Amino acid sequence: MRVLWVCNIILPVIAKELGSLYSVREGWLSGILERVLAQADGELVLGICFPAQGELASLQKKLFLGEKKVSVACYGFGEDLEHPEEYDVSLELRFGQILSDFAPQLLHIFGTEFPHAYACARVWNRPEATLVGIQGLCQNIAQEYMAGLPRAVCQKRTLRDILRQDSMGQQQQKFAARAAREKKLLRLAGHITGRTQFDREATAELAPGAVYHFMSETMRESFYTGCWDPDRCHRHEIFVSQADYPLKGFHFLLEAMGEILARYPDAHVKVAGNSVMGTGGLMSRLKIPAYGKYLRKLERTCKLRGKIRTLGRLSEEEMKEAYLSCHVFVCPSVVENSPNSVAEAQLLGVPVAASRAGGIPSVVAQGSGILFEKGNAKELAGAVLGIFDSDREARALSARERAFALQRYDGGQNYRRLLEIYREILGL
C-alpha cells in the first residue's frame, strides 16, 4: 500500500535526521509513526510531506528512519503558518509535484486547519482514495471562540492587537475563514477518521457522503511509562497545558481559584506554553493582547499574585515531569475534540478535571477523570477540591485513568486499526 501522509508539522524523527528545528506538537502523530517504523513489514510504503522553510520547502528525499531504518519518502512544502486563514494557490503546484513523484494509492491528510490540506486534496481530486483525520474542527472553534468573555473584553484592542491586526474579534473571523475552507476539504474526502462522538456528529453534518472510520490515537512512547503518586507530587499544584487564547478557558480557572484558595491557601497554578500575561517589564506589557490584559485583571481582583507560574514551551520530558509533579491536571476548554494533554495525563495516572465540552466526554469516560460543566467556575473548583481533599479517592481515580488510557491509546491496537482502514478503502 502506497500511502502519502500530509502533516501539519515536520515530525521530530524526520527533523533530527535533517538537522532541523522541530515542534513537539501533534505528539499523537509521532506516536503512530513510531509504531509504523517499529512494526514495518513491507506492506506499507510511506511518504510524508510537511511544511518547511528555506531549502527544506523543496525537499524531496528518501530517509531511513527508526531502528529498522525504514525507507520513507519525505517532501517539504512552503506555507505561511502564521496566517493559515489565507489560501496560497502556489501550494497546488507543489503538491502536483509531490503527488506525481510519490504516486500514492491513498492520500491521508492529518487535520483540517491549514491551507495545505485543501490544496493537496484539490489537486489529488480522488475522494474515494482520500482519508482526512480529524484533529480539531474550525467550525466549532469559530462558534465558541469568545468562551463566555464579557462583551467589553471581546471588543477591546490593545496596541499589540492593533499593530498586528489580531484582536480577539479578528482571531474569531480568521477561524471562520478556516472553517469555510475546512468544509470544502471535507467535501473532497470520501473517508474520515475520528475518535469521539463529537467529531462523528460534526463531520456527518459537514460531509454527509463521507464514510466515518473510528480510530483512536497513539501517544508518544515516554508517556506510557511512569505513574503519578500523591506522596511525590507538589501538593495543591494545578497544571494546565495551554492558556494563551480564550477558547482554552483559563479565565474560568482563575475565577475558581478564590474558592480553592479559601480551603487550600498554598494552592497554585503552573501553565505550559506561551504567556499572554506578560512578565512585568514595559516591553512585555506593550505586547500583551486584550485577553492577556483580562487575565491580569483577574489575577489582581482574585488576589492571585505569586500563584501563577508560566513554564514556556516544554520538551517531551519536561512536559512529562510537569504532569507527574502536579496534584491535578485541569482542562477548562470550552471546546476540544480529544486533547492530547488529557490523554497524556491519563496515561501517567495524573488526576484529571476537564470540562464537559466537545469530545472530552468521550475521552474522560468510565470514571477516568472528573467532568465539570464548561464555563462553570464553581463546578471546576469543586472538581479540584475533590481531588485535593482525599488521597484515597485520588489514587482510585489515577488507577481508573491508567487502565482506561492504556486500552484506548494502545499503540499496537491503533496501528492494526490504521492498516485495517487503509485496506478497507483500497479494497484489499
Side-chain angles (χ1 to χ4, degrees), residues 76 81 90 129 137 242 282 296 339 354 361 389 411:
L81 297 176
S90 68
L137 284 161
Q242 194 175 0
L282 176 60
R296 287 178 69 91
D389 285 346

Side-chain angles (χ1 to χ4, degrees), residues 1 106 108 131 191-194 212-216 414-427:
M1 298 182 289
L106 175 64
H108 190 169
L131 175 66
H191 300 269
I192 290 170
T193 60
Y212 183 92
H213 307 265
F214 178 83
M215 190 184 79
S216 192
N414 296 335
Y415 174 71
R416 290 189 293 274
R417 177 59 180 149
L418 177 69
L419 295 185
E420 182 178 72
I421 292 170
Y422 288 168
R423 294 187 195 107
E424 287 177 11
I425 294 172
L426 295 173

Side-chain angles (χ1 to χ4, degrees), residues 194-236:
R195 51 197 183 271
T196 66
Q197 187 62 25
F198 167 71
D199 68 32
R200 187 182 192 116
E201 292 173 358
T203 55
E205 177 185 336
L206 290 167
V211 177
Y212 183 92
H213 307 265
F214 178 83
M215 190 184 79
S216 192
E217 297 174 315
T218 299
M219 298 298 116
R220 291 170 289 182
E221 192 66 34
S222 66
F223 291 99
Y224 291 82
T225 59
C227 186
W228 178 84
D229 184 339
D231 293 331
R232 298 179 182 177
C233 74
H234 298 156
R235 306 297 292 188
H236 311 141

Side-chain angles (χ1 to χ4, degrees), residues 2 63 115 129 138 145 215 308 348 361 380:
R2 294 185 64 82
L63 296 179
C138 296
Y145 192 80
M215 190 184 79
I308 305 168
L348 294 169
L380 192 167

Side-chain angles (χ1 to χ4, degrees), residues 223 234 236-242 250 253 268-273 309-312 314 318-332 341 344-345 348 350-353 384 388:
F223 291 99
H234 298 156
H236 311 141
E237 182 170 271
I238 301 165
F239 180 42
V240 179
S241 66
Q242 194 175 0
F250 190 58
L253 175 58
H268 54 284
V269 180
K270 64 181 181 184
V271 189
R309 180 185 169 204
T310 302
L311 304 177
L314 302 180
E318 289 169 335
M319 193 74 177
K320 181 177 178 178
E321 176 56 32
Y323 286 123
L324 291 173
S325 65
C326 76
H327 200 156
V328 59
F329 174 76
V330 174
C331 177
S341 56
E344 291 167 350
L348 294 169
V350 181
V352 170
V384 170
F388 286 177

Side-chain angles (χ1 to χ4, degrees), residues 15 32 46 62 65 73 76 89 99 111 127 166 194 203 244 277 279 298 303 319 330 337 349 359 380 384 398 418 426:
I32 193 63
L46 189 62
K62 282 189 177 180
L65 306 176
V89 72
L99 290 165
D166 192 39
T203 55
D244 54 354
M277 297 175 67
T279 57
L298 287 177
K303 299 180 181 179
M319 193 74 177
V330 174
N337 188 22
L380 192 167
V384 170
S398 173
L418 177 69
L426 295 173

